[in-house]
Amino acid sequence: MPKNSLLVLGLMSGTSADGIEAALVRISGASPKLKSKLEGHASLPIPKPIRARILQIAEGTPVPAADISQLNFRLGHLFAEAAIATCKKLRVPLKSVALIASHGQTIFHQGPPIPFLGAKTSSTLQIGEPSVIAARTGITTIGDFRPADMAAGGQGAPLVPFADYLLYRHEKLGRVSLNLGGIANVTVIPAHAKPQDVFAFDTGPANILIDALVSHFTKGRQRFDAGARIASRGDCLVPLLEKLLADPYLRLQPPKSTGREYFGRTYIGKILTQGRKLSARPEDLIRTVTVFTALSVVDALNRFVLPRTKIFQLIVSGGGTRNPLLMGQLEAALAPIELLTSEKFGVPEQSKEAYAFALLAYETFHHRPSNLPSATGATRPAILGKICYA
Ligand SMILES: Nc1ncnc2c1ncn2[C@@H]1O[C@H](COP(=O)(O)OP(=O)(O)O)[C@@H](O)[C@H]1O
Ligand SMILES: [Mg+2]
């Protein structure tokens, strides 16, 4: 790594709000020739009451502005503590970290403009006050990456495709990057792609439905189906699977994005109602949504990607890589496309997004844009984020 490299700590908490992922990345050069290498990573828990409040707000429950304001600062402290704990774990002095990249916790995202108080408006809100992170760590912190893209006419998402392009592009092989977080999203990188050839969209649910059913049936004692152990005991309910596969979101033309607003409480309520009609056992419902999740990704690839470009490899990241049923279904349905995990490219599955935001912050720090207009719909490249000097 050249002498003028920077150590950047990426912090991410996704739709699942299951924890804070941290990735310490050594970065040098400039896009598209930027070089990066992971120095270490960590996962830190989000305390239960904080997670519960995040999920409540993200599902659209009306809450006082006071709570959002307080949570913004409380999360800022939590992210700062996560940064400090990560450096301690990795035995890296805080002083050697040039920059923190903090995505923040999304509590609301409206990508395409919709009518609001007499004007079409889009907006996004990630909380976890970066000024607090900068003050507590003494490290310059960049946060709030999405608004600049939105202000440039984009949907503010997805932003990870910039990193996918840097990490995965290949002269001869078409590749798709798939992240299985709460929501599943793909970045398509055709062989020999220029940045403007890259496209990306959310295919639908990843772990969000599985997690919600597991929490429901265990009354919150379990948060996810570890190792797909519950689903493995169940049967797939074909009538329900067919209903789910008829979901209009799957047919919607990309670019498109989704979240807890759609695949949230109301959606789960409908699945539970169907389940009662079919006298389903909990394990049957969990298996059915797991299969649906895999097939919704396959459907998106068959419908919107493979007719346009040849794909040789699918590179998977996110917590869903630890669900063997989900991965097995994907592999079986997509053969002969090769399924790999991001680990093969030097990025551990759980820290892929934290790693990506470290790259975005590095570009911002050097006054360079890092949105891909072909992925977000922005009318121009934009320098992303807000800088809080320590
Ligand atoms: N051992 C495991 N077995 C099955 N699923 C897992 C396992 N570990 C994590 N997951 C799933 O991954 C999810 C978290 O994935 P993550 O990539 O952190 O999503 P997000 O970006 O939305 O926070 C968990 O909620 C869970 O559903
Ligand atoms: Mg997570």
Side-chain angles (χ1 to χ4, degrees), residues 109 111 124 145-147 149-150 154-159 376:
H109 185 83
T124 187
F145 292 86
R146 301 191 186 277
D149 177 79
M150 222 171 232
Q155 297 207 6
L159 298 181
T376 65

Side-chain angles (χ1 to χ4, degrees), residues 9-246:
L9 182 68
L11 295 175
M12 176 78 202
S13 172
T15 335
S16 309
D18 57 316
I20 301 166
E21 307 297 336
L24 188 64
V25 191
R26 166 91 46 201
I27 313 176
S28 65
S31 170
K33 296 229 171 107
L34 182 153
K35 282 203 166 57
S36 63
K37 187 177 169 295
L38 186 78
E39 301 264 304
H41 66 106
S43 297
L44 303 112
I46 296 180
K48 248 186 170 174
I50 298 184
R51 175 170 194 260
R53 186 56 63 91
I54 293 169
L55 296 189
Q56 194 189 20
I57 297 174
E59 289 218 332
T61 313
V63 289
D67 283 23
I68 295 175
S69 176
Q70 291 284 80
L71 190 59
N72 180 38
F73 273 65
R74 184 72 185 79
L75 282 178
H77 284 283
L78 201 62
F79 287 134
E81 287 155 17
I84 293 165
T86 301
C87 288
K88 194 165 173 202
K89 178 192 158 198
L90 301 177
R91 296 166 190 275
V92 169
L94 282 174
K95 272 208 280 298
S96 67
V97 178
L99 206 57
I100 289 177
S102 179
H103 172 270
Q105 178 69 53
T106 296
I107 56 165
F108 181 78
H109 185 83
Q110 176 59 50
I114 53 166
F116 178 70
L117 305 177
K120 282 198 145 190
T121 307
S122 57
S123 73
T124 187
L125 192 54
Q126 285 74 42
I127 61 172
E129 184 48 52
S131 306
V132 172
I133 305 174
R136 288 263 324 254
T137 59
I139 302 168
T140 295
T141 300
I142 304 186
D144 262 337
F145 292 86
R146 301 191 186 277
D149 177 79
M150 222 171 232
Q155 297 207 6
L159 298 181
V160 173
F162 176 81
D164 290 330
Y165 179 72
L166 292 175
L167 292 167
Y168 301 149
R169 71 181 189 278
H170 193 282
E171 279 307 303
K172 299 207 173 93
L173 303 181
R175 288 172 167 165
V176 169
S177 165
L178 168 67
N179 192 70
L180 297 171
I183 297 296
N185 48 312
V186 290
T187 303
V188 184
I189 313 149
H192 193 63
K194 299 265 172 303
Q196 59 270 26
D197 303 324
V198 174
F199 62 103
F201 60 96
D202 290 349
T203 60
N207 294 294
I208 194 167
L209 301 178
I210 304 170
D211 288 2
L213 286 180
V214 171
S215 295
H216 174 83
F217 289 122
T218 65
K219 303 202 164 53
R221 279 190 303 277
Q222 291 175 46
R223 235 183 2 77
F224 59 91
D225 186 11
R229 276 197 283 278
I230 306 175
S232 306
R233 295 197 300 267
D235 296 316
C236 182
L237 306 164
V238 176
L240 174 60
L241 179 65
E242 282 173 351
K243 265 211 171 77
L244 292 170
L245 284 169

